[in-house]
Amino acid sequence: TFNNTLLQERRDTRMIRFGGATSTGDVGRRGGGGGGGTTTTTTTTTTSRFNFTVAPGKFAFWMRQSRHRQRGRRDTFAAARCCASTMVRRRSVPPKIFSNVEGTWAHDTVSRRLHEDILERVFDDNRNDIAKEGSEARKMLKKLREELKMNENVSHVEEDGGEDVTTWKSIMREHVESKTRWQDLPWLDAEFYFYRRVLSATGYFNRKSTNFGKDPFKKDKTRGLEASLKPAVNLAKRLKAFDANKEADLKSMIYVSLWGNRADLSIWAAEDAEKAAGEYESENEDEDKKALLTDDSNALCAYLLSGELKDKSVSLIVDNAGFELVCDLALADALTAVCNKVVLRVKAHPTFVSDATFEDIWEHVEFLESASIRGSKNSKEEK
C-alpha cells in the first residue's frame, strides 16, 4: 500500500490518504522502523490530537512575510483537538509480529536499535539540557536503557501527567500481569511503548518538570529541516508555477508528497536527510513509478478536479518532520485550489524520532519564511 489512496466519506468531510507508507508497507520495503500516522493495511488509524486548518490561498509559506510567533496566526491556521479515529475494513487482521524472532528487523529493533541507536542519540542531543548529568531525566533514561539491554519485564507507564496513562495501562495490563519481557512483546506495542517511556523519563508531560513540553528529538528534527532547505527552494519554484487546472501539475505535487517520505530519522541519521530530500527531484517520473506497488493517482486527480470538494475539506495525515513535512505543506498549498480547506493531522506528542507534532508545523513554516526573507535580502545586496 505504498501509494494506495483511501477515500473515506465522513459526514461533510472527505478523508484522503496518500503519500507516507503504512506499517505493513514499511515491513516489505525497509523492515519497518515506526510507520506513520496510519497503521496496517487492514486498519487505518489517525493518532493525531491537533488539526491545522488551511484556508484557500493562504499557504504560500515561503513567500509570505514573517509573522510573530503568537500573533496573526488564526487567519492562516486554526488549531483544534480531535479524538483518534479508527476505520477497520472487513478483513481478517494479520498475525502480530513479535520481537523475539532472531534475524528479523523486529528483533534487532527491540534487542539492539532502541537502546544503542535511538536512546544514545537522545543522550547525546540532550546532554546539556533535558538529559544533563545528575538530572532525574538522565537517571530514568538510563533505567530504560538497562531494561532494554537486559530484556527485563515490562512495567506500567508512570502517572506522569499524560492524558493517555489510563489507555496505556489498559494496553500493557496483560503484559505486566504475565511478566512479559521486552523482546516478547508484539513489535508494534514495544515500539510505541518505548517512545512513550522516553517521554515519561524526560518529564515531557510533567507540568512541574523543567522539561515539560520539551521534545527530546528536537535536534534531530532541526538538522533534518536545515538539510532540506536547498530542495525546498526548488520545490517553491515548482509550486509557484503550479496550475490547479492541470492534472499533470496536481499529480506532480502528489508524487512530491509521496517521495518526500524517504527521510525517516528513526532509521536514517539527520546528515543523510539532504540526500534523501533530493531524491524526489528525479526527472524520470516513469522510472519512479516502477517502484510503486499501487498507484491510484489518476482516479484521485480526477476526483480532486471534479469540483466535489469545493465546499468541503481535505485531511492530510502527516508523518515525518523535515523535508517530508515541507513536501506535505506544498501539497496542502496545492490542494487549497480545489477544496474549501486542508486539515493537517499530526501526532499528539513526539514519537518515532521524526514524527511531526503541532509545534513542528509552526517551526517549519517560520523557518521557511525566515529563509525566504534572508534570501531576498541577499539578492538585493548582490544587486
Side-chain angles (χ1 to χ4, degrees), residues 46 51 58-59 111 131 159 165 180 224 231 238 242 284 367 378:
T46 303
N51 298 338
K58 294 185 179 179
F59 209 78
S111 66
E159 294 285 351
V165 170
T180 303
R238 192 167 173 177
F242 172 77
N284 194 339
F367 174 81
N378 292 337

Side-chain angles (χ1 to χ4, degrees), residues 222-354:
T222 299
R223 287 194 291 264
L225 175 60
E226 291 172 346
S228 72
L229 182 57
K230 183 178 178 180
V233 170
N234 295 333
L235 178 57
K237 295 176 182 177
R238 192 167 173 177
L239 189 56
K240 188 176 181 181
F242 172 77
D243 185 346
N245 295 315
K246 293 182 179 179
E247 182 176 327
D249 283 14
L250 188 57
K251 187 180 295 186
S252 177
M253 296 311 300
I254 291 172
Y255 284 136
V256 161
S257 178
L258 169 67
W259 295 121
N261 190 48
R262 300 191 184 193
D264 189 326
L265 298 177
S266 70
I267 300 176
W268 314 116
E271 53 266 25
D272 295 328
E274 186 170 12
K275 177 179 179 296
E279 291 179 355
Y280 93 98
E281 296 180 299
S282 171
E283 296 180 358
N284 194 339
E285 289 191 356
D286 290 334
E287 286 298 315
D288 288 341
K289 290 176 184 177
K290 292 180 180 179
L292 303 180
L293 299 180
T294 306
D295 185 356
D296 294 328
S297 58
N298 288 335
L300 174 60
C301 287
Y303 176 71
L304 291 174
L305 294 172
S306 68
E308 290 190 39
L309 292 173
K310 185 177 180 181
D311 299 318
K312 297 181 180 179
S313 65
V314 173
S315 288
L316 295 183
I317 301 175
V318 176
D319 189 3
N320 298 304
F323 185 66
E324 182 179 343
L325 177 54
V326 172
C327 292
D328 288 339
L329 295 176
L331 177 61
D333 187 38
L335 289 175
T336 58
V338 297
C339 67
N340 181 48
K341 64 181 178 180
V342 175
V343 180
L344 303 178
R345 300 189 180 271
V346 300
K347 289 298 195 305
H349 54 69
T351 191
F352 291 113
V353 181
S354 57

Side-chain angles (χ1 to χ4, degrees), residues 153-225:
N153 296 344
V154 295
S155 57
H156 282 301
V157 172
E158 295 183 2
E159 294 285 351
D160 58 5
E163 298 177 358
D164 58 352
V165 170
T166 301
T167 301
W168 269 110
K169 285 188 174 181
S170 176
I171 293 171
M172 298 300 295
R173 183 173 295 112
E174 62 173 301
H175 302 310
V176 173
E177 292 177 353
S178 62
K179 298 182 179 180
T180 303
R181 295 180 181 273
W182 270 93
Q183 293 173 29
D184 294 322
L185 284 174
W187 178 34
L188 188 64
D189 293 2
E191 281 216 84
F192 274 104
Y193 173 64
F194 164 77
Y195 284 99
R196 183 59 180 81
R197 284 285 305 276
V198 169
L199 296 185
S200 184
T202 60
Y204 179 86
F205 296 104
N206 185 356
R207 292 182 177 276
K208 295 181 180 180
S209 171
T210 56
N211 296 331
F212 174 66
K214 290 185 178 180
D215 186 345
F217 311 114
K218 183 177 178 60
K219 285 191 176 180
D220 262 329
K221 291 179 180 179
T222 299
R223 287 194 291 264
L225 175 60

